Each structure stands twice: as C-alpha cells, then as structure tokens.
C-alpha cells in the first residue's frame, strides 16, 4: 500500500494563481502527504538502530551510548576523533543506502571534556570523506546549552536571566 502511494506520483507548482504542468516525483517524500512522516521515521529508525550497534561511545551505568536522537536531530557521541569518524561513516553509509541526505549546513562537531588537553588542538574543521564540519565550542540541543568544558554554567546563567525576565514581566500580577 505504501509503495502504491509513493510510486509514480506527480506534482504541479502554483505561482501567482497559475498552475504549472505536472511533473513526476522521482525521489523523496511528498511534503503534506499523511504517509511522509511515518515513512521518514521508519527510514530514520533504521539508521538509528544500525548506529547503536557500533561499539563506540561512552558508558553510562551499564549502557553504552554513541548517539542521542530526537525527531530528525542526531548527536553522535565518541571518545575520540577516530570513533567520531567511524560513527559518521557508518551513519552516512546507511543513510545513503536509504536515500537520506545529511544536511551539511546543520552538521557541526564539538569535543567535550573536563580537561583542557585537546583545547590546544584547535582544529577548525573536521574532514571526513567529502564532508567538512565546523567545530563548535558550545551549542543548544533540545533547549540545553552544551559546551566543550562539560560545564553547565552558561546554561544556568541563561535560565536565570530568562526567569528574571519572566518575573519582572509578571511582577504587576504578583502585586495584586
């Protein structure tokens, strides 16, 4: 049934009220099609399951973690540049086989550690195959600011600032 819904489909583009001629969709899922999110999730789940089988990452309790995933965001976790390279190559290979593409503009990397030994090695970009990734010192993931020092100071300061803004905006309601 899924195959029937996505094979030999056509689209047209409407510009300023004028409809173009129809053309065949040869790759990808149609935006707005009710099946598209489910089919994308099935394909991405295959990528996620395959990456979890790769024996790299960090151990938390009894579990080995080499990635975090939420919706279409995936964060690979490795203890070294070599592990990160291997995880990325595996992910890219599986994604390519499923005709999924990695968004290079949104893909970055960060080295997280408490010691400053790797900070001296300020490699600006990480090159893997034909890909080139920008190195970040911090980034926001699911609303939490992560940084290469593994410190929560920046995130705490931001949360306190936001709480203060909210408090002062609502202060007149508290006085009633």
């Amino acid at each position: 049934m899924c195959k029937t819904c996505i094979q030999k489909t056509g689209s047209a583009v409407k510009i300023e009220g004028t409809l173009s001629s129809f053309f065949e969709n040869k790759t990808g899922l149609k935006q707005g099609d009710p099946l598209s999110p489910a089919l994308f999730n099935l394909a991405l789940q295959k990528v996620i399951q395959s990456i979890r089988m790769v024996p790299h990452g960090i151990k938390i309790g009894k579990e080995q973690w080499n990635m975090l995933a939420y919706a279409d965001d995936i964060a690979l976790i490795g203890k070294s540049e070599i592990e990160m390279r291997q995880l990325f190559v595996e992910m890219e290979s599986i994604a390519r086989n499923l005709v999924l593409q990695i968004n290079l503009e949104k893909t970055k990397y960060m080295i997280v550690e408490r010691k400053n030994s790797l900070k001296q090695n300020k490699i600006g970009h990480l090159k893997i195959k034909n890909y080139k990734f920008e190195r970040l010192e911090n980034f926001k993931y699911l609303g939490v600011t992560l940084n290469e020092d593994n410190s929560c100071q920046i995130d705490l300061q931001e949360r306190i600032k936001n709480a203060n803004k909210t408090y002062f905006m609502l202060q007149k309601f508290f006085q009633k």
Side-chain angles (χ1 to χ4, degrees), residues 5 15 27 45 53 67 122 165:
C5 290
I15 302 172
T27 61
Q45 187 61 32
M53 301 304 289
M67 68 174 299
K122 280 284 190 187
K165 277 185 191 176

Side-chain angles (χ1 to χ4, degrees), residues 17-75:
T18 305
L19 196 62
S20 73
S21 56
F22 278 83
F23 54 91
E24 185 180 351
N25 298 327
K26 296 185 180 181
T27 61
L29 298 171
K30 293 186 293 183
Q31 285 190 324
D33 187 313
L35 277 178
S36 294
L39 294 173
F40 176 76
N41 286 340
L42 287 172
L44 194 58
Q45 187 61 32
K46 174 72 174 159
V47 173
I48 291 168
Q49 287 174 341
S50 298
I51 295 169
R52 285 197 173 135
M53 301 304 289
V54 178
H56 292 307
I58 58 173
K59 194 165 190 162
I60 300 175
K62 295 179 182 179
E63 296 289 322
Q64 189 77 18
W65 293 86
N66 63 7
M67 68 174 299
L68 299 172
Y70 182 79
D72 63 345
D73 287 335
I74 296 177

Side-chain angles (χ1 to χ4, degrees), residues 22 43 56 81-82 98 121-122 126:
F22 278 83
H56 292 307
E81 183 181 320
I82 293 168
L98 294 169
N121 184 9
K122 280 284 190 187
L126 177 64

